[in-house]
Amino acid sequence: MLTVRRAALLVAAFALVHVVLIVLALNAPNGPLGDVEAIYLGWAREAASGAGIPGITKDFVYPVVAVLPILGALVVGDDGYVAVWLALVTLGNAAAFAVLLHRASRATDRRYDVAAWWWLAFLLLLGPIAVGRIDAVTVPLVIVGLLWLSSRPIWASVLLTIATWVKVWPAAVIGAVLVVSADRARVFRVALVTSAAILVTAVALSLSLGSAPHVLSFIAEQTGRGIQIESPVAGLWMWQAAAGLSGITIYYDFDILTYQITGPGTTLASALMTPLLALSAVAVLLLGVRAQRRGVDRAHLFPALVLALVLVLVLVNKVGSPQFSSWLAAPLIFGLVVQPLVWRLPALLGLVIAALTQIVYPFFYDTLLVADPLLVAVLTLRNLLEVALLGWALHRLWTYAGTDGRAARRTAQTSQTPQNPQNRQNPHNPQNRQNPQNRRSR
């Protein structure tokens, strides 16, 4: 049970962490608020002046709902744009944190407040990128969606669908739900209806403003990108650049607004990454399907499947923005509240990944742009740890897929924190509803 004193300490720590993040965002080198100050504000100004609304009357690099926080931060004008943006992100995190604390107040053990402390450490280690990109809007939505799946599946599905229409990565969570949950039909219907409402509204707005629909323009915008320097696949050429080999160029793409790398083979690699990403995601989903059909406890299967899918989106990707590391918070928090002992190692890896990400961006990003060998090594280590984390998740899925449900449940039970007999049924099972930059790429 979460006591008043422990809750007050957590709230104070939350406030302190966000003060630190805001100070870093405003003062750290290499412009961690570059996207907010230069790009998001520019889009908002254009929309306010009648020059075009992203995703409605002109093409947009994000799904259309992302325009809402971007335009909403303009509510007090240009001068207050950054302050309002930071306030919106902080409020979103506070809402998700409140859900964690509410769950902690009702739990008989400390898994929720442990997860809350872990999230605060993760945010602090990740640094200003945790509040300086559109991804910061999606992370708390996904955290709440995961925590609500067992008790409020309809609202959870709505939140996850909205998050997907802000940035695509939460689709991985919806995909995992459709594999694991016995509520998959209802979740699918809710996601479909929510998506249809968003699409119809966006198309109607486009037509009413005399424009052709642009609601799906983000698909072409993303598939046409080159290889971003922080992506794992870029390491093949970043090390060649660090060694001073000729023919390798790091450049700024003014269309996509990101630093990319070009050299022998990068065009082919860029073309192959999108289909490889799709095939990898399908392979992971099929592994989850096989484990689910063998009767594995869904509460244990689900977090590992979510983590694996999210990491596939991070690793098998020609884009490698530092804010991608923020996505790890949602599956790792969920894993910690479902199987706290089992998820200690991935939680620790997540903290190290966050710290290495902050070292690369924003603090030493300028040296990465000249392929400094030390920074390339730090980035490579970060990427290798993400590979290790994916390996951990895939190992659990493979183990689940290769055993029957009874054996998997026995293994899971031996790795859990001791519980009272009446609390053995996991309340986080999606089925147990009865139990309580520098201007750089997004």
Side-chain angles (χ1 to χ4, degrees), residues 56 64 165 192-208 213 215:
I56 302 297
V64 68
W165 280 98
L192 195 62
V193 169
T194 305
S195 295
I198 291 169
L199 284 167
V200 168
T201 302
V203 170
L205 280 173
S206 298
L207 296 177
S208 68
V215 66

Side-chain angles (χ1 to χ4, degrees), residues 161-242:
T161 305
I162 291 173
T164 301
W165 280 98
V166 175
K167 194 80 182 275
V168 173
W169 75 270
V173 182
I174 296 176
V177 174
L178 295 179
V179 167
V180 173
S181 177
D183 270 330
R184 63 176 65 89
R186 178 160 55 165
V187 168
F188 179 75
R189 286 195 300 269
V190 172
L192 195 62
V193 169
T194 305
S195 295
I198 291 169
L199 284 167
V200 168
T201 302
V203 170
L205 280 173
S206 298
L207 296 177
S208 68
L209 294 171
S211 169
H214 293 263
V215 66
L216 299 179
S217 59
F218 70 94
I219 298 174
E221 290 283 324
Q222 293 293 342
T223 55
R225 301 176 74 140
I227 294 180
Q228 191 171 336
I229 60 173
E230 298 106 303
S231 64
V233 68
L236 298 172
W237 292 274
M238 288 296 291
W239 276 110
Q240 294 180 55

Side-chain angles (χ1 to χ4, degrees), residues 13-176:
F14 176 91
L16 179 60
V17 165
H18 282 76
V19 168
V20 172
L21 291 176
I22 290 170
V23 170
L24 287 174
L26 294 171
N27 297 284
N30 294 308
L33 286 174
D35 276 24
V36 177
E37 294 174 316
I39 301 173
Y40 300 174
L41 176 56
W43 288 333
R45 282 173 175 162
E46 290 178 1
S49 67
I53 304 173
I56 302 297
T57 62
K58 64 179 184 179
D59 289 349
F60 196 25
V61 72
Y62 297 138
V64 68
V65 176
V67 79
L68 295 181
I70 288 171
L71 297 184
L74 196 63
V75 66
V76 298
D78 290 10
D79 292 340
Y81 189 86
V82 170
V84 174
W85 175 269
L86 293 172
L88 289 174
V89 170
T90 301
L91 286 173
N93 284 350
F97 201 70
V99 172
L100 271 174
L101 295 189
H102 177 69
R103 295 283 177 125
S105 69
R106 300 172 60 187
T108 57
D109 54 34
R110 298 189 60 178
R111 64 181 65 197
Y112 284 100
D113 42 331
V114 167
W117 281 115
W118 179 90
W119 188 23
L120 294 180
F122 180 85
L123 287 170
L124 196 60
L125 291 170
L126 185 59
I129 198 65
V131 296
R133 296 293 186 273
I134 193 68
D135 307 66
V137 175
T138 62
V139 171
L141 290 174
V142 175
I143 291 171
V144 175
L146 285 169
L147 294 175
W148 278 0
L149 273 171
S150 61
S151 58
R152 303 175 182 179
I154 292 177
W155 283 110
S157 180
V158 169
L159 288 179
L160 292 172
T161 305
I162 291 173
T164 301
W165 280 98
V166 175
K167 194 80 182 275
V168 173
W169 75 270
V173 182
I174 296 176

Side-chain angles (χ1 to χ4, degrees), residues 71-417:
L71 297 184
L74 196 63
V75 66
V76 298
D78 290 10
D79 292 340
Y81 189 86
V82 170
V84 174
W85 175 269
L86 293 172
L88 289 174
V89 170
T90 301
L91 286 173
N93 284 350
F97 201 70
V99 172
L100 271 174
L101 295 189
H102 177 69
R103 295 283 177 125
S105 69
R106 300 172 60 187
T108 57
D109 54 34
R110 298 189 60 178
R111 64 181 65 197
Y112 284 100
D113 42 331
V114 167
W117 281 115
W118 179 90
W119 188 23
L120 294 180
F122 180 85
L123 287 170
L124 196 60
L125 291 170
L126 185 59
I129 198 65
V131 296
R133 296 293 186 273
I134 193 68
D135 307 66
V137 175
T138 62
V139 171
L141 290 174
V142 175
I143 291 171
V144 175
L146 285 169
L147 294 175
W148 278 0
L149 273 171
S150 61
S151 58
R152 303 175 182 179
I154 292 177
W155 283 110
S157 180
V158 169
L159 288 179
L160 292 172
T161 305
I162 291 173
T164 301
W165 280 98
V166 175
K167 194 80 182 275
V168 173
W169 75 270
V173 182
I174 296 176
V177 174
L178 295 179
V179 167
V180 173
S181 177
D183 270 330
R184 63 176 65 89
R186 178 160 55 165
V187 168
F188 179 75
R189 286 195 300 269
V190 172
L192 195 62
V193 169
T194 305
S195 295
I198 291 169
L199 284 167
V200 168
T201 302
V203 170
L205 280 173
S206 298
L207 296 177
S208 68
L209 294 171
S211 169
H214 293 263
V215 66
L216 299 179
S217 59
F218 70 94
I219 298 174
E221 290 283 324
Q222 293 293 342
T223 55
R225 301 176 74 140
I227 294 180
Q228 191 171 336
I229 60 173
E230 298 106 303
S231 64
V233 68
L236 298 172
W237 292 274
M238 288 296 291
W239 276 110
Q240 294 180 55
L245 299 182
S246 61
I248 309 296
T249 303
I250 295 173
Y251 67 99
Y252 188 76
D253 188 309
F254 287 93
D255 293 327
I256 299 297
L257 306 175
T258 182
Y259 285 96
Q260 299 182 163
I261 191 164
T262 184
T266 54
T267 301
L268 176 61
S270 178
L272 291 176
M273 289 307 293
T274 298
L276 183 59
L277 172 60
L279 289 173
S280 300
V282 169
V284 172
L285 285 170
L286 290 176
L287 197 58
V289 168
R290 186 181 179 209
Q292 189 271 334
R293 287 182 174 177
R294 286 176 173 262
V296 174
D297 190 332
R298 291 182 172 95
H300 302 149
L301 170 62
F302 184 53
L305 182 57
V306 172
L307 179 61
L309 287 170
V310 169
L311 280 164
V312 163
L313 294 183
V314 172
L315 290 168
V316 192
N317 201 328
K318 57 187 174 183
V319 184
S321 300
Q323 62 268 25
F324 287 11
S325 296
S326 68
W327 305 351
L328 299 179
L332 290 174
I333 287 171
F334 191 56
L336 282 172
V337 300
V338 173
Q339 291 178 290
L341 295 181
V342 171
W343 283 75
R344 286 182 302 180
L345 175 59
L348 177 60
L349 287 176
L351 295 179
V352 178
I353 288 167
L356 293 174
T357 299
Q358 184 172 187
I359 290 171
V360 173
Y361 187 85
F363 285 100
F364 296 99
Y365 193 69
D366 51 346
T367 59
L368 182 66
L369 296 180
V370 295
D372 178 85
L374 181 58
L375 258 294
V376 175
V378 172
L379 178 62
T380 301
L381 177 59
R382 194 280 307 270
N383 292 339
L384 288 175
L385 289 178
E386 290 176 343
V387 171
L389 193 54
L390 175 59
W392 181 91
L394 291 176
H395 173 72
R396 292 200 66 80
L397 291 177
W398 184 261
T399 301
Y400 287 148
T403 188
D404 61 42
R406 291 188 300 275
R409 282 190 286 272
R410 284 196 299 270
T411 301
Q413 287 169 359
T414 60
S415 62
Q416 294 305 298
T417 304

